């Protein structure tokens, strides 16, 4: 353990401030733990039994099985010995207080909270139980300031929180990210625009790393991440060679979806696209560009183009409300379209709901194809024909790529992962 961290460990303050994960790589750390062996010490066990009762299998206050049973006498004793100020008021408990009561070093207390694997299970349980009895509450702010870690991954999104949480795509993506974070003992924070500014939110976010969604590499928020030197991985974007990324084969997915529609005889087709900054298909970039390249390829194979009279492109919000609003415009088109190809299942859900409200039958009056294959798409009546993308796996892979960046001082070659897609043929698209 280096001298600076040794000083922190024994300064009598918050035990969570003493060590960062980087310190664990030093082989000498274990030797600096005074009075605390790597295996249960007979004298420590005897002291524990004398002051706190015989150890028994239970779920203690910290969720640790087999913690020592607290007797009424030991609880009263701990309360009586709780440190107090001169005016008789209890002051904040420090690691010195915990160490004194537990009969261990302050370094051991810090290990118990930060790196319990460096101590025996019995020693860790003893220290945590003593801390609980003394009324100790960790100070996460102090820990972050001293370790320069928050143990939190940010998910940068261009929409506000209500919009994000209403989209089942993000729920599945966050589930994959969360699975990795849970295994690492980390939290997940959604980082939406702050007062309309995603750049401000990026500078203010207290995170160790970020997974970026819905943004291009030249976005000012991405530049802010670079300036802060925060590790990040981009999702669903053509990232440059120096930025790690995970995306799906959007071109193939779009090609399969509209090809399925065209092969069933539909020529009056509406493509419902995401809202863009330009509103012009020829100016699309990133995901939109790839998907429309796929649409063009399939249309060309059937003698059609995006400019053919029967093919229409409408932009709408990526939400159920956006799909409902889009259906009103679809309903106004003459001649009446027979199929809608939506760029997301969420948009498709809105279209189907509005169509049902208007008395249209799916797929008899209107065929609908989505993109994403979120869980709800399989539960609809009729079940939604859609393009499956591995949303949860995509989030999980992005997090798995990001975690090593947080702890390594060596810059590895950024990965660029391309995941496959598959057309799920169900009941919402009929043959004419």
């Amino acid at each position: 353990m280096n001298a600076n961290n040794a000083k922190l460990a024994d300064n009598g303050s918050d035990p969570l401030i003493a060590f960062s994960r980087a310190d664990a790589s030093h082989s000498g750390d274990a030797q600096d733990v005074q009075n605390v062996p790597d295996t249960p010490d007979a004298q420590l066990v005897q002291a524990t039994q004398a002051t706190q009762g015989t150890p028994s299998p239970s779920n203690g206050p910290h969720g640790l099985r087999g913690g020592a049973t607290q007797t009424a006498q030991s609880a009263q004793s701990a309360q009586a010995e709780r440190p107090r100020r001169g005016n008789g008021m209890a002051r904040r408990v420090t690691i010195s207080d915990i160490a004194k009561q537990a009969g261990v070093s302050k370094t051991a207390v810090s290990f118990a909270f930060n790196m319990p694997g460096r101590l025996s299970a019995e020693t860790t349980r003893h220290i945590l139980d003593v801390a609980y009895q003394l009324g100790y509450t960790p100070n996460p702010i102090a820990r972050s300031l001293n370790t320069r870690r928050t143990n939190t991954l940010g998910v940068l999104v261009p929409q506000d929180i209500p919009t994000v949480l209403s989209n089942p795509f993000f729920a599945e993506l966050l589930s994959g990210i969360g699975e990795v974070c849970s295994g690492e003992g980390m939290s997940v924070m959604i980082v939406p625009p702050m007062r309309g500014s995603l750049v401000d939110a990026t500078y203010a976010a207290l995170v160790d790393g970020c997974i970026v969604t819905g943004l291009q590499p030249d976005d000012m928020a991405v530049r802010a991440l670079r300036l802060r030197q925060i590790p990040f991985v981009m999702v669903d974007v053509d990232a440059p060679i120096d930025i790690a990324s995970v995306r799906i084969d959007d071109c193939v997915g779009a090609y399969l979806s509209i090809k399925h529609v065209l092969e069933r005889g539909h020529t009056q087709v509406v493509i419902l696209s995401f809202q863009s900054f330009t509103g012009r298909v020829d100016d699309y970039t990133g995901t939109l560009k790839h998907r429309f390249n796929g649409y063009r390829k399939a249309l060309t194979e059937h003698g059609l183009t995006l400019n053919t009279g029967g093919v229409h492109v409408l932009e709408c919000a990526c939400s159920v409300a956006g799909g409902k609003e889009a259906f009103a415009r679809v309903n106004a088109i003459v001649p009446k379209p027979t199929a809608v190809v939506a760029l997301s299942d969420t948009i498709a859900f809105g279209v189907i709901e509005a169509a049902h409200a208007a008395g249209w039958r799916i797929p008899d009056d209107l065929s609908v194809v989505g993109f994403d294959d979120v869980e709800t798409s399989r539960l609809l009546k009729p079940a939604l024909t859609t393009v499956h993308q591995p949303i949860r796996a995509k989030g999980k892979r992005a997090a798995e790529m990001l975690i090593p960046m947080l702890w390594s001082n060596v810059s590895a070659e950024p990965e660029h992962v391309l995941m496959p897609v598959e057309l799920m043929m169900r009941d919402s698209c009929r043959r004419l």
Side-chain angles (χ1 to χ4, degrees), residues 77-385:
S77 174
Q79 185 67 24
E81 295 179 21
R82 189 170 181 176
R84 295 182 177 276
R85 299 189 180 95
N87 58 8
M89 295 179 61
R91 62 173 173 80
R92 182 176 177 82
V93 179
T94 68
I95 64 171
S96 295
D97 302 319
I98 299 171
K100 179 180 179 181
Q101 182 74 7
V104 299
S105 71
K106 288 175 283 187
T107 303
V109 175
S110 186
F111 273 147
F113 279 90
N114 291 295
M115 291 181 289
R118 303 295 295 272
L119 306 175
S120 70
E122 184 69 27
T123 299
T124 299
R125 282 193 294 267
H126 171 58
I127 293 172
L128 295 181
D129 282 341
V130 168
Y132 176 76
Q133 293 164 18
L134 290 176
Y136 172 76
T137 55
N139 188 336
I141 296 177
R143 178 184 186 183
S144 295
L145 288 173
N146 285 275
T147 65
R148 297 189 179 183
R149 298 289 184 189
T150 65
N151 278 334
T152 302
L153 287 190
V155 181
L156 202 61
V157 295
Q159 302 96 346
D160 58 29
I161 291 290
T163 301
V164 170
L165 296 183
S166 67
N167 189 336
F169 170 88
F170 280 107
E172 292 194 25
L173 187 74
L174 289 171
S175 179
I177 296 170
E179 180 182 346
V180 176
C181 287
S182 293
E184 295 289 334
M186 302 186 71
S187 301
V188 180
M189 176 190 293
I190 300 176
V191 184
M194 176 185 293
R195 294 182 293 273
S197 172
L198 194 56
V199 175
D200 289 349
T202 303
Y203 280 119
L206 298 177
V207 296
D208 295 327
C210 262
I211 293 174
V212 181
T213 67
L215 300 176
Q216 293 302 309
D218 60 352
D219 191 278
M220 292 300 295
V222 178
R223 295 183 184 181
L225 288 174
R226 286 180 178 269
L227 287 173
R228 287 189 61 187
Q229 297 183 336
I230 291 180
F232 65 95
V233 174
M234 303 197 74
V235 173
D236 290 337
V237 70
D238 286 328
I241 193 170
D242 63 329
I243 298 179
S245 65
V246 182
R247 68 180 183 90
I248 60 167
D249 198 331
D250 286 292
C251 182
V252 170
Y255 171 82
L256 292 174
S257 66
I258 201 166
K259 178 174 179 284
H260 178 72
V261 169
L262 297 174
E263 287 178 343
R264 275 149 183 74
H266 297 274
T267 56
Q268 300 294 321
V269 180
V270 177
I271 301 174
L272 295 183
S273 177
F274 304 138
Q275 289 176 322
S276 67
F277 292 109
T278 66
R280 286 171 37 86
V281 174
D282 290 341
D283 295 330
Y284 284 168
T285 60
T287 296
L288 287 177
K289 178 181 179 180
H290 289 304
R291 293 196 185 179
F292 274 84
N293 284 342
Y295 294 143
R296 287 190 182 93
K297 179 180 178 182
L299 288 168
T300 299
E301 292 175 355
H302 287 78
L304 301 171
T305 69
L306 289 173
N307 299 318
T308 301
V311 180
H312 305 268
V313 178
L314 303 177
E315 291 189 359
C316 65
C318 185
S319 63
V320 172
K324 291 180 179 179
E325 182 274 329
F327 174 77
R329 289 184 283 160
V330 171
N331 197 14
I333 297 175
V334 179
K336 184 175 73 172
T338 61
V340 165
V341 176
L343 267 73
S344 80
D345 286 350
T346 304
I347 293 174
F349 297 159
V351 169
I352 292 173
E353 185 176 338
H356 284 157
W360 290 38
R361 297 167 300 169
I362 307 294
D364 295 341
D365 298 320
L366 183 68
S367 291
V368 180
V369 174
F371 199 115
D372 288 335
D373 193 27
V374 298
E375 184 176 358
T376 308
S377 67
R378 301 184 285 277
L379 305 177
L380 290 180
K381 300 296 181 184
L384 182 66
T385 294

